[in-house]
Amino acid sequence: TTAIGCDSTIITNLTFADTQAPIATSCPASFTSCNPVSWTAPVFTDNCSFSVASNYAPGSNLPLGTNIITYTATDAGGNTANCSFTVTVVDFSLSISKTNVSCNGGTNGSATVTATGTSGAVSYLWNTGSATATINNLAAGTYTVTVTNGSCARQASVSITQPAPFT
């Protein structure tokens, strides 16, 4: 009630502007892989509703080389937050050179694997347990190697032979 005895009502329209941008609470680290490439999408939080867009989805076949993956979260107020990481896509091939055993029953065979088209660190694991590109002192038999580059792995096998025994 006013001073002169009248009732009054004040109607006000309040507009609130959202000025708080979404926050990326997790963003994948950069990595090397072969196609198709998988990762866990980043997680965003915000004080209101938001949508997330990306230039690639997990499980995509990406171009060979370096790719920048970007996720953008946009909230109802138009505020944005980004999460970007790099995926280096490799597609490599293997070749194996060998030296066969020189005498029947001998153990002087060897095999060397060469990986072509790799990027960054390469690791080797033969079915003998050896973790180098070359294995020596082999008897006749089949040997398998797994070569890993980032999260990409390839396998190859080689047969070491020996001459027939003297009769």
Side-chain angles (χ1 to χ4, degrees):
T1 305
T2 64
I4 58 172
C6 297
D7 286 334
S8 66
T9 301
I10 300 173
I11 299 175
T12 309
N13 288 329
L14 299 176
T15 303
F16 294 95
D18 176 21
T19 58
Q20 181 179 349
I23 298 170
T25 59
S26 70
C27 190
S30 296
F31 62 95
T32 298
S33 180
C34 52
N35 280 315
V37 181
S38 293
W39 61 87
T40 301
V43 175
F44 292 89
T45 61
D46 194 37
N47 62 340
C48 64
S49 64
F50 63 94
S51 62
V52 178
S54 178
N55 57 339
Y56 293 103
S60 296
N61 284 314
L62 303 179
L64 293 178
T66 302
N67 299 274
I68 298 173
I69 311 301
T70 301
Y71 282 80
T72 302
T74 305
D75 68 15
N79 303 300
T80 62
N82 292 316
C83 160
S84 294
F85 55 97
T86 300
V87 176
T88 303
V89 177
V90 296
D91 186 20
F92 63 93
S93 60
L94 302 178
S95 61
I96 298 180
S97 60
K98 67 177 184 173
T99 302
N100 289 318
V101 174
S102 60
C103 294
N104 187 277
T107 57
N108 66 337
S110 66
T112 300
V113 63
T114 302
T116 305
T118 58
S119 173
V122 176
S123 64
Y124 308 92
L125 183 60
W126 292 88
N127 61 333
T128 62
S130 178
T132 60
T134 299
I135 53 175
N136 294 303
N137 304 317
L138 301 178
T142 301
Y143 299 88
T144 302
V145 62
T146 301
V147 179
T148 304
N149 182 217
S151 64
C152 186
R154 300 278 188 262
Q155 269 193 345
S157 294
V158 62
S159 290
I160 302 295
T161 62
Q162 64 185 349
F166 290 113
T167 54

